[in-house]
Amino acid sequence: MASWPAPADARGGLAPLPWAGRDRILPRPSLAPVPPNQRWGRSRKQSVRKAKYAAAMAGGFLALGLAKRIINSLPVVNLVTRPVLDLFPTILFGPALGAAALYGYEKQGDPLAAREVVQEKALALRREFDTVARDVSAELAVQKKALSRQLERHQDVIDSTARVAMRSVQEMEQTVVPALERGYRNIETHAQRTLND
């Protein structure tokens, strides 16, 4: 198989390429060798911790799946628990349960310690929600007062418009309805004359 011909210089070697002299102009940075345990920015301790969490998440997935199967296999209990357990997908809650148990075990030596942390966060979130709800309800009360004041200011316009509308309807009853009745009678008499002729 033939290759592309390379340009040769006068001495018979390869001709230097235009960018070949850059190495001499710009020095290459010298990098210190990185130990194998820190090549990707993590130490062995971090890798072991991540492996523990991965195993805990897989264990939580398996444990929750097994627990759901056991509970759903009970004949009478199945009727009540299946709809409730279906609200908790194993693929989402299993790994979360496993990671929470490992977190609690690491922090306080108790797998259920994560529950306390979650309860604290839930309480903080509830207080925040209550504060926001209070602020929004106060703002809504102010808006309601402003709207009621506007309605009071425009109440006389609304009342006068209603009176004008009522007068218009009464005038229509007095003028349009008799005119329609006269027109209907004229058409009826004309039709009878035409039929009699």
Side-chain angles (χ1 to χ4, degrees):
M1 180 172 182
S3 65
W4 290 95
D9 64 356
R11 294 172 287 163
L14 293 176
L17 297 173
W19 57 83
R22 282 182 153 172
D23 293 343
R24 285 177 251 144
I25 298 170
L26 299 173
R28 286 190 180 176
S30 61
L31 298 174
V34 179
N37 63 348
Q38 294 181 355
R39 282 210 174 118
W40 291 283
R42 56 185 151 146
S43 65
R44 182 166 176 76
K45 187 176 181 181
Q46 289 174 332
S47 297
V48 169
R49 186 166 187 253
K50 287 181 183 179
K52 281 182 183 179
Y53 270 95
M57 291 169 78
F61 176 76
L62 293 174
L64 185 62
L66 183 64
K68 283 175 72 173
R69 280 193 191 141
I70 289 171
I71 291 172
N72 284 333
S73 68
L74 300 172
V76 176
V77 177
N78 180 21
L79 297 173
V80 177
T81 60
R82 183 172 292 272
V84 175
L85 290 177
D86 287 344
L87 295 175
F88 302 103
T90 307
I91 193 75
L92 295 177
F93 287 94
L97 183 66
L102 182 62
Y103 174 79
Y105 183 74
E106 280 183 348
K107 293 296 179 189
Q108 298 176 2
D110 180 18
L112 299 178
R115 179 182 61 191
E116 296 169 8
V117 174
V118 170
Q119 284 176 344
E120 289 174 14
K121 300 292 182 188
L123 252 146
L125 184 65
R126 185 174 187 153
R127 283 192 298 263
E128 184 69 26
F129 181 75
D130 289 343
T131 304
V132 169
R134 222 176 305 120
D135 293 345
V136 168
S137 64
E139 187 175 323
L140 285 175
V142 169
Q143 292 292 332
K144 186 177 178 182
K145 286 180 184 177
L147 185 63
S148 65
R149 275 182 283 198
Q150 281 182 336
L151 283 175
E152 286 174 3
R153 275 188 259 147
H154 298 297
Q155 188 65 36
D156 58 338
V157 174
I158 293 170
D159 291 341
S160 65
T161 305
R163 274 182 282 182
V164 168
M166 288 298 288
R167 268 190 250 128
S168 299
V169 168
Q170 288 172 353
E171 287 176 8
M172 284 177 59
E173 286 177 349
Q174 293 171 358
T175 58
V176 174
V177 171
L180 288 174
E181 286 178 354
R182 278 193 305 267
Y184 175 73
R185 278 192 225 115
N186 288 340
I187 292 172
E188 187 179 32
T189 56
H190 183 65
Q192 284 180 354
R193 280 187 208 152
T194 306
L195 288 173
N196 290 336
D197 290 340

